[in-house]
Amino acid sequence: MAAGLAVESGGVDQVINEAFTQVSTAVQRVIFFAVEVAGVDIPLVVVWLAFAAVFCTVYFRGINLRGFRHAIGLVKGDYTRPDEVGEVSHFQALATAVSGTVGLGNIAGVAVAITIGGPGATFWMIIAGLLGMATKFTECTLGVKYRRENADGTVSGGPMFYLSRGLAAQGKAGLGKVLAAAFAVFCIFGSLGGGNAFQSNQAFAQMRDVTGGDDGLLGGSAAGVMFGIVLACFVGVVIIGGIKRIARVTDKLVPFMAVFYVVACLIVLLGNAGAIPEAMRLIFTGAFSPEGITGGVIGVLITGIQRAAFSNEAGLGSAAIAHSAVQTNRPVTEGYVALLEPFIDTVVICTMTALTIVVTGAYTSGGTEGVQLTSDAFETVLPWFPNVLAVAVVLFAFSTQLAWSYYGAKATAYLTNESRVADVVYKSVFLAFVVIGAASSLDVIIGFSDAMIFAMSIPNLIGVYLLIGVVKRELTEYEADLRSGVVSKVNA
Amino acid sequence: MTTQDTEPEVVVVGVDGSEAGERAARFAGRIAREAGTTLLVVYVVPWSPFAVQTAEENEQRRVTKQRETQEAQEGIVDPLVAALGAEGVKAEGVVRHGHPAETLCDVGEERGATHLLVGRRGQSKVRTLLFGSTPGNLIQIATVPVTVVP
């Protein structure tokens, strides 16, 4: 009776929350299998991602920094031949991928990292972002190299295609098919978690916060579901209804929002200029000798890497799907361009969020979590900013959801041989998760999101290791052509 | 004797499917016929490599570009070239993607054009202030004389 009453008073949100918690816990136990080293649990999948980033960085002799200038040149269009004008430019491929990665991970994820790992997590996030540039370089080169040009003139690319086609070219067709299918399955689930539920969860949290919290407009027990349904309607109109206009408007707004967000961070930093040296000290000392953090240095390191990967997606393979639409006859050029993505996402935007939180000391007060923590940090200098942040958060969430629904739909298409029915089923489930995300609590959502997203890295990185020689050859030939002038700036 | 004297002279007219563009093409046709030069009828599909697109638009871009080119070619450029040809003008059609004014200049430079002509849409002052106009841009960047046909 008492239990029945509790559920009743908690409402619909609570019922969904409880059912989801059980599934989420089970999934996490598998994906985040951890080994204990010196008293600290280290999830193997995080080591897996970090090792790949270091390996790619070393294998390509620091392409992360070495290729930076050339990447900018490519994005500016310095190397675009006249016959390529009117096709997808490097800038457009990058912008589309970035609007998928820049989302709540940059705002709420960073707050989560600092709540768990302290200011020192920032340091490891930046390092993970810098190293992740090499992973992204590798996977996006492969994405273009093995993309498929369909009979109707469209292009399809991403890990499904480089795993199946790339490995088939090496005589490992069977393995390629298995890895591609595994990736597609994880991608579908990842698109429902991190790419979707987490986004609507945090968008709702921020909207409720600015409308008066628990006592405000969105304070009721079913408000999460209601908010989720409204958001799902907008997503549904675009992905099922095919109303591209909304997607186009959002995609145009997101880059401005990102710039606006960084500017707001800079204003907060300027307002607390005196506290910056102390914040820097906290970040560095926190990175190497943290106080009061579970797991000490390793705990902080793991938190930082985990949040960075969740935000910039390096090693997961998702962005390779978006990057592979570019017009180029040299796959490695898109690799160069893609390495800018973790830089923009993690090294610039995540760092800005982190500095804002650390400088204002918002993380020390306790009580708030996720996006609200970031919002509190802004409020100390710009009292009206939480309202703007709420709009930005909803837009970021929406654009990230659109991007991930695209990734998931491509994975579904790959698995079902472009079945129209499967496409509609997938998109309907996706919309359901928009609602689940808004109704469920943060811990459960983050755990589930992470598990699904990180699972993608398993088949993806196996493929990356097996195909890394192909990328090396492409890079070596391209660098030789750059030196000899075969590839040179157009109109220079 | 420069190379331009040995090659047939070329006059470029920019068209956009509007009446103003057609008037410009007719006017350019008269000039070309009288001077015995070739008239290039150029349609530029407005395109910026820096416009943000959705993933689906990117995926379909190649098909979209082909369709845009074909529509401009068959719907606007070819009929004009045929009509001008019937009036005794030596006319050729070109369809390109890009920034309209810059691309007109590029085509002109590639073909050694001596004269650029465009129509004027008579758009509102606000619109011109916000987005500029092709004739306005053209007179700023062209390296040969420009005629704007009202």
Side-chain angles (χ1 to χ4, degrees):
Chain A
M1 188 62 193
L5 274 177
V7 170
E8 221 165 78
S9 62
V12 191
D13 289 18
Q14 179 124 17
V15 177
I16 295 184
N17 196 3
E18 277 171 12
F20 193 65
T21 306
Q22 289 179 354
V23 180
S24 173
T25 316
V27 168
Q28 285 180 63
R29 210 170 290 146
V30 178
I31 306 295
F32 289 119
F33 178 76
V35 288
E36 203 184 294
V37 178
V40 184
D41 281 344
I42 302 177
L44 288 182
V45 76
V46 176
V47 178
W48 172 246
L49 276 171
F51 182 78
V54 173
F55 183 81
C56 291
T57 302
V58 174
Y59 189 77
F60 294 113
R61 293 179 289 116
I63 190 77
N64 338 29
L65 299 177
R66 218 156 49 82
F68 200 88
R69 235 182 104 180
H70 187 59
I72 302 275
L74 286 164
V75 171
K76 275 168 61 193
D78 291 351
Y79 298 86
T80 308
R81 297 192 317 268
D83 61 298
E84 291 171 338
V85 174
E87 309 251 2
V88 180
S89 65
H90 284 298
F91 174 86
Q92 286 169 326
L94 178 67
T96 307
V98 168
S99 78
T101 47
V102 175
L104 271 295
N106 302 69
I107 301 172
V110 174
V112 173
I114 293 177
T115 310
I116 302 172
T122 311
F123 179 83
W124 297 114
M125 279 186 80
I126 296 172
I127 297 295
L130 289 171
L131 294 172
M133 291 163 77
T135 323
K136 202 80 127 182
F137 165 83
T138 316
E139 57 191 16
C140 290
T141 301
L142 289 172
V144 175
K145 172 85 183 168
Y146 293 106
R147 65 182 167 187
R148 188 181 70 192
E149 293 186 23
N150 305 314
D152 63 0
T154 59
V155 285
S156 302
M160 297 85 81
F161 295 92
Y162 58 75
L163 292 171
S164 58
R165 291 157 65 101
L167 292 178
Q170 292 187 348
K172 302 187 191 84
L175 176 67
K177 269 192 184 146
V178 172
L179 290 177
F183 175 84
V185 170
F186 294 143
C187 179
I188 291 170
F189 284 112
S191 74
L192 300 176
N196 183 357
F198 174 66
Q199 308 291 326
S200 51
N201 179 280
Q202 291 293 285
F204 172 67
Q206 179 63 12
M207 282 306 269
R208 186 174 55 190
D209 213 36
V210 298
T211 54
D214 286 341
D215 306 320
L217 186 66
L218 296 172
S221 64
V225 176
M226 298 306 289
F227 179 85
I229 289 172
V230 173
L231 189 57
C233 286
F234 277 101
V235 177
V237 163
V238 176
I239 66 174
I240 296 181
I243 311 290
K244 300 278 180 285
R245 188 177 286 266
I246 296 176
R248 219 168 286 153
V249 170
T250 313
D251 279 7
K252 283 188 189 8
L253 281 176
V254 164
F256 289 106
M257 278 292 174
V259 171
F260 183 77
Y261 181 78
V262 170
V263 170
C265 289
L266 288 173
I267 293 172
V268 174
L269 293 182
L270 281 177
N272 291 282
I276 293 179
E278 174 62 8
M280 291 292 186
R281 194 192 66 79
L282 284 171
I283 287 171
F284 279 100
T285 54
F288 298 102
S289 51
E291 286 167 23
I293 303 297
T294 321
V297 177
I298 296 174
V300 177
L301 184 110
I302 296 291
T303 306
I305 296 173
Q306 202 162 328
R307 287 295 119 203
F310 189 60
S311 173
N312 68 37
E313 299 170 21
L316 308 179
S318 51
I321 302 175
H323 278 285
S324 57
V326 74
Q327 169 62 35
T328 181
N329 53 356
R330 304 299 291 255
V332 76
T333 56
E334 194 56 24
Y336 274 102
V337 170
L339 63 78
L340 295 175
E341 210 187 311
F343 186 82
I344 297 169
D345 180 276
T346 309
V347 182
V348 177
I349 302 183
C350 285
T351 306
M352 282 292 161
T353 306
L355 282 175
T356 306
I357 294 174
V358 176
V359 160
T360 57
Y363 69 104
T364 51
S365 55
T368 49
E369 58 176 0
V371 69
Q372 280 131 304
L373 179 56
T374 314
S375 182
D376 288 354
F378 278 109
E379 208 174 354
T380 58
V381 176
L382 307 167
W384 47 270
F385 194 77
N387 297 305
V388 181
L389 186 65
V391 177
V393 157
V394 172
L395 278 172
F396 281 139
F398 185 63
S399 74
T400 304
Q401 284 172 327
L402 293 185
W404 275 89
S405 75
Y406 176 78
Y407 298 157
K410 295 309 270 182
T412 308
Y414 176 80
L415 280 179
T416 61
N417 212 0
E418 318 272 330
S419 154
R420 304 270 306 171
V421 178
D423 189 60
V424 175
V425 171
Y426 165 74
K427 285 172 177 169
S428 308
V429 174
F430 189 88
L431 295 180
F433 268 79
V434 175
V435 183
I436 292 176
S440 218
S441 77
L442 184 57
D443 291 348
V444 188
I445 290 293
I446 286 226
F448 179 72
S449 302
D450 279 9
M452 286 297 127
I453 294 240
F454 281 94
M456 290 165 66
S457 71
I458 299 166
N460 181 49
L461 289 178
I462 293 175
V464 163
Y465 286 125
L466 291 173
L467 294 165
I468 202 161
V470 177
V471 180
K472 183 78 156 187
R473 264 198 305 284
E474 292 278 336
L475 179 63
T476 310
E477 281 169 22
Y478 185 75
E479 284 181 321
D481 286 351
L482 266 180
R483 273 193 300 272
S484 69
V486 173
V487 174
S488 61
K489 288 190 182 183
V490 178
N491 298 330
Chain B
M1 193 162 169
T2 65
T3 49
Q4 277 201 342
D5 293 330
T6 58
E7 285 175 10
E9 281 196 2
V10 171
V11 172
V12 167
V13 63
V15 296
D16 60 358
S18 69
E19 258 178 56
E22 194 168 329
R23 277 198 302 277
R26 301 277 173 191
F27 184 79
R30 279 209 298 282
I31 292 178
R33 194 173 52 214
E34 281 163 20
T37 60
T38 303
L39 174 63
L40 279 187
V41 180
V42 183
Y43 183 98
V44 183
V45 182
W47 166 259
S48 165
F50 302 110
V52 180
Q53 299 208 102
T54 66
E56 259 147 3
E57 284 174 311
N58 284 346
E59 174 190 314
Q60 290 157 3
R61 184 62 214 164
R62 190 168 300 172
V63 188
T64 314
K65 181 189 174 184
Q66 276 168 5
R67 197 192 63 230
E68 288 168 349
T69 307
Q70 196 184 356
E71 280 173 4
Q73 187 84 43
E74 292 171 2
I76 298 161
V77 174
D78 285 353
L80 260 179
V81 168
L84 289 164
E87 292 168 15
V89 182
K90 208 161 59 176
E92 283 176 37
V94 175
V95 177
R96 287 275 182 92
H97 277 73
H99 181 274
E102 286 171 13
T103 312
L104 281 177
C105 282
D106 289 346
V107 174
E109 274 169 30
E110 282 164 30
R111 300 287 298 261
T114 53
H115 192 177
L116 298 175
L117 297 98
V118 280
R120 190 184 70 188
R121 279 194 143 169
Q123 62 189 15
S124 76
K125 280 181 184 161
V126 177
R127 213 183 142 77
T128 307
L129 190 67
L130 286 175
F131 304 108
S133 69
T134 299
N137 290 333
L138 200 56
I139 56 174
Q140 297 292 338
I141 58 173
T143 51
V144 293
V146 175
T147 300
V148 180
V149 181

